[in-house]
Amino acid sequence: MITSLETARHPETLKRVCIEPLTRVEGHGKVTLLLDEDNHIRQARLHVVEFRGFEKFIQGRPYWELPVLVQRLCGICPVSHHLAAAKACDQLIGVDQLTPTAEKVRRLMHLGQTLQSHALHFFHLASPDLLFGFDDPVAHRNIVGVIQDHPQIATQGVLLRKFGQEVIRITAGKRVHGTGALPGGVNKHVSLAERDELQKDIDQVVDWAEGAVQLIKRIFLANSDFHYRFGAVDANTLGLIAPDGSHELYHGGLRVRGPDGKTLLDHQDYQDYERVIHEEIKDWSYMKFPFLTQLGPELGWYRVGPLARVNNCDSFHTPLAEQERQDFAAAGEGRPLQAALATHWARLIELLHCAEAIRELLLDSDLQGTELRLKGEMREKGIGVIEAPRGTLFHHYEINGDGLVTRANLIVSTTNNNQAMNTAIRQVAGEFLDGRELTEPLLNQIEVAIRAYDPCLSCATHAMGRMPLDLELCDAEGKRIDRLCRHPDGTVERPSATTAD
C-alpha cells in the first residue's frame, strides 16, 4: 500500500489536494495528495519546490572560501555546513589530524549548534502538536499558544537555544554565519573568561535538558499505541559512530543497520561514501533520492538523524544521556524504534547529551591552547562528513592546481531522509486519512510526520546533472498561457494539458 502510493494510475482522473506551504519547517515545500471519488488516497508526494544550485555556483571559487560560503545554504544549521566544509578543506590542504585545541574548539562549536537547533525544533516547531494534539484549533496550535498555556516550557526552550547560540558565538565569532573554522584548524581559542561565562549557566542547562527528555517520554508513552503506529516505517539507518561504537556527532566511521537492527556496514571510512551511496533523481522533486548501493534503490533507502543515531549507537559517553538511551532502547523491545514521533524522544536525548558534553569539554585546558592551524601537502579531493542536527551531512570538493573548485557534491541531511519522509507521509495518509473527508486537522497529520524529521528544505535543493524543470508563463491575472517541461533525460516537451503532480 505504501509503495503503491508514490505514483497513481491515470492521475488525470483523480482529484488533487495540496498542502502548501508546509508550516513550521525551514524552507519551502508542499505535499500533494491524489484521491478518487471515494476519498481513497491513490498518491502522496512530498515536493521541494525551490531550486538554488549551490553545487554549481561554487565551482570556480577558491577552496579557502568554502567554509564561509556554503554556510549561506541555511540560517538554521550554518555551523553544520561550516564544519563539514572545513573538514573537507582540511583534506585538501593535507591535514588528517588537527591540533587538540582546534579539534576541541570545533567540537564545542558543533555541540552548541546541535543543542540550539534541537531546542528550536522541539520547543518552537514541534511542541504545539505534541502538547495540544493534532486537531487543536490552528489559531492556538502554535508557539504563541505554548507561551500562553505553558510559559515555563516556552521560556526554557528559548533559554536553551540562547545558550547554544552563545557557545557558537564564542567559538565561531558570531551566532550566525561565523568564521571560526578554517582549512586546517580554527582562528581562535576559548579564553578563560569565555569559558567562565559558559560555565556559570551550564548546570542549569543540563537540568532543563533532562526535564525536556522527561516531558517527551510522558507525552509519547501516554498514548503509546497511537505514537508507535503514527508514521512508523521500517527503514535502514545510517550515521557516524565513534571507534568504540558510541554516539558521535563530529567525526567517525559510518554504520548502517537494517530495519531489524542487524549491522550491514560498520566503521566504514566516509572517504569511500561514493561506493556506499548512490543518488537517484525523480521528475517530480528537486531533491535527490539517495540509496545504499548494496541494496539498490527499492530496498536501499535509509533514515538519518536523531532517531537513526540513537538506534545505531551502542552507548553515549555522558551518563544521563546513556541512561535515557537505555530506556529508549527498552521501549523498542529488542528492535529499533521506527515511529516518526520517536524522533522527538531521540532528539531530546541528544540535546541532553550535548549539554553534558559541553559541561565536560569546558573543563579541558586544551580549549585555551595556542596551536590553532596546521598545513600539509595539497590534494585534489577533500571529503568532509559530520552529523548535523538533522542527520549525516556530506561535503565533497575537488580542486585544480590553482586551488579553484572544479566539482562539488553535497548530500545534506534532509536529502538523505527524502524517501523516509515520503514513505512516512504515505503511511499516515494510507492509515489515518484514507477514505475520510479531509479536514485541516487531518491534513495537519501529514505535516506532523514531516516535522518529526525537522527537514531543512532549503538545504536539500542541490542536485547534480540534468534536473527536471517545469517552466510556466502566466499573464497578469495568473492564468497560465504556456508551459515547458524538461525531463531528467534532457528531453523537453510542451504539455497540451495540465499534468497532475
Side-chain angles (χ1 to χ4, degrees):
M1 174 65 176
I2 294 175
T3 303
S4 66
L5 293 183
E6 177 173 322
T7 302
R9 296 182 179 181
H10 307 296
E12 69 280 358
T13 67
L14 303 173
K15 57 184 177 181
R16 180 175 181 267
V17 173
C18 182
I19 305 172
E20 185 179 19
L22 295 174
T23 59
R24 287 187 269 141
V25 297
E26 201 285 325
H28 302 285
K30 68 178 180 181
V31 170
T32 57
L33 305 173
L34 298 185
L35 299 85
D36 63 20
E37 59 185 12
D38 296 319
N39 286 332
H40 292 301
I41 307 292
R42 298 305 181 192
Q43 180 176 295
R45 290 175 173 177
L46 167 64
H47 307 266
V48 173
V49 296
E50 56 182 327
F51 176 71
R52 299 168 71 201
F54 259 77
E55 290 165 322
K56 288 298 182 183
F57 69 68
I58 60 177
Q59 291 183 14
R61 306 302 305 174
Y63 74 87
W64 56 84
E65 289 183 353
L66 293 175
V68 172
L69 181 61
V70 297
Q71 63 181 325
R72 263 63 183 183
L73 279 162
C74 183
I76 302 297
C77 46
V79 171
S80 302
H81 293 291
H82 183 56
L83 291 176
K87 290 181 70 177
C89 289
D90 296 340
Q91 296 292 309
L92 291 174
I93 66 170
V95 175
D96 295 317
Q97 180 62 56
L98 301 179
T99 69
T101 296
E103 178 168 336
K104 289 172 184 178
V105 169
R106 284 192 188 180
R107 284 182 175 273
L108 183 60
M109 187 191 309
H110 190 40
L111 290 167
Q113 159 66 12
T114 307
L115 175 68
Q116 73 86 19
S117 179
H118 282 354
L120 171 66
H121 174 75
F122 178 75
F123 290 97
H124 292 71
L125 304 181
S127 71
D129 297 310
L130 301 171
L131 292 171
F132 303 137
F134 304 165
D135 56 354
D136 188 63
V138 67
H140 179 254
R141 194 181 64 234
N142 51 54
I143 185 58
V144 176
V146 176
I147 293 171
Q148 292 173 342
D149 292 14
H150 301 279
Q152 184 177 15
I153 292 175
T155 300
Q156 289 179 4
V158 170
L159 293 177
L160 280 166
R161 182 169 188 245
K162 179 181 178 182
F163 180 84
Q165 289 178 308
E166 285 303 296
V167 174
I168 295 170
R169 179 186 64 80
I170 285 171
T171 54
K174 55 182 181 178
R175 296 177 183 87
V176 180
H177 298 151
T179 58
L182 305 170
V186 294
N187 63 10
K188 70 181 293 292
H189 66 197
V190 176
S191 69
L192 289 173
E194 291 169 332
R195 180 204 66 184
D196 293 344
E197 180 182 346
L198 295 175
Q199 279 186 324
K200 71 181 187 334
D201 294 323
I202 187 59
D203 288 340
Q204 180 65 77
V205 167
V206 172
D207 288 345
W208 285 336
E210 190 171 15
V213 178
Q214 303 311 314
L215 172 63
I216 189 59
K217 284 170 66 175
R218 289 195 301 271
I219 292 173
F220 189 89
L221 296 175
N223 191 7
S224 58
D225 288 344
F226 174 75
H227 289 151
Y228 278 118
R229 288 165 42 224
F230 183 84
V233 293
D234 287 342
N236 302 298
T237 55
L238 179 146
L240 294 179
I241 54 165
D244 63 356
S246 63
H247 183 271
E248 178 57 54
L249 292 172
Y250 178 74
H251 186 70
L254 293 172
R255 172 179 281 175
V256 177
R257 282 180 168 164
D260 58 0
K262 293 182 179 179
T263 301
L264 304 177
L265 285 174
D266 212 13
H267 302 287
Q268 173 70 47
D269 185 352
Y270 63 66
Q271 297 293 323
D272 295 327
Y273 84 96
E274 288 182 293
R275 291 195 303 106
V276 177
I277 298 170
H278 281 186
E279 300 170 71
E280 186 179 26
I281 291 175
K282 299 186 180 183
D283 63 4
W284 47 268
S285 178
Y286 287 131
M287 190 157 51
K288 295 174 285 189
F289 289 79
F291 61 91
L292 299 167
T293 309
Q294 69 184 83
L295 298 179
E298 293 300 318
L299 300 176
W301 58 272
Y302 53 88
R303 178 189 292 124
V304 300
L307 184 58
R309 290 189 293 249
V310 176
N311 276 329
N312 260 7
C313 74
D314 297 331
S315 64
F316 281 85
H317 74 262
T318 55
L320 297 176
E322 170 56 14
Q323 181 58 60
E324 296 301 335
R325 185 201 66 82
Q326 293 178 22
D327 292 348
F328 182 86
E333 298 181 345
R335 286 179 56 87
L337 281 177
Q338 300 281 7
L341 296 181
T343 307
H344 297 301
W345 188 352
R347 181 175 288 113
L348 293 183
I349 294 174
E350 287 194 332
L351 182 142
L352 174 59
H353 164 70
C354 288
E356 289 185 279
I358 289 171
R359 182 163 62 182
E360 290 182 3
L361 193 50
L362 290 175
L363 300 175
D364 195 322
S365 61
D366 281 340
L367 291 176
Q368 285 78 55
T370 57
E371 191 178 2
L372 303 181
R373 294 187 70 189
L374 297 174
K375 188 171 182 180
E377 295 295 324
M378 293 296 297
R379 300 169 182 165
E380 295 180 348
K381 181 172 76 171
I383 297 171
V385 177
I386 201 166
E387 284 293 332
R390 294 158 177 84
T392 317
L393 170 64
F394 297 83
H395 278 229
H396 175 174
Y397 305 112
E398 296 178 19
I399 60 174
N400 60 21
D402 296 322
L404 303 180
V405 177
T406 58
R407 182 194 173 203
N409 185 36
L410 311 179
I411 309 179
V412 305
S413 312
T414 299
T415 301
N416 282 312
N417 273 330
N418 191 4
Q419 188 61 45
M421 290 189 294
N422 271 282
T423 308
I425 66 171
R426 289 167 195 149
Q427 189 275 339
V428 171
E431 181 168 353
F432 299 102
L433 277 66
D434 190 63
R436 304 177 64 181
E437 181 180 351
L438 297 185
T439 61
E440 190 281 329
L442 282 177
L443 293 176
N444 181 52
Q445 294 192 35
I446 296 286
E447 295 193 70
V448 169
I450 295 170
R451 286 189 204 110
Y453 288 85
D454 189 18
C456 183
L457 302 177
S458 296
C459 291
T461 58
H462 317 288
M464 299 291 288
R466 291 173 170 172
M467 281 300 303
L469 294 173
D470 193 335
L471 180 65
E472 294 184 352
L473 176 65
C474 300
D475 60 22
E477 297 179 351
K479 182 180 179 181
R480 188 171 70 201
I481 56 179
D482 200 2
R483 180 186 180 195
L484 284 176
C485 295
R486 188 182 75 183
H487 302 293
D489 62 3
T491 60
V492 178
E493 68 170 337
R494 176 177 278 109
S496 59
T498 300
T499 301
D501 289 311

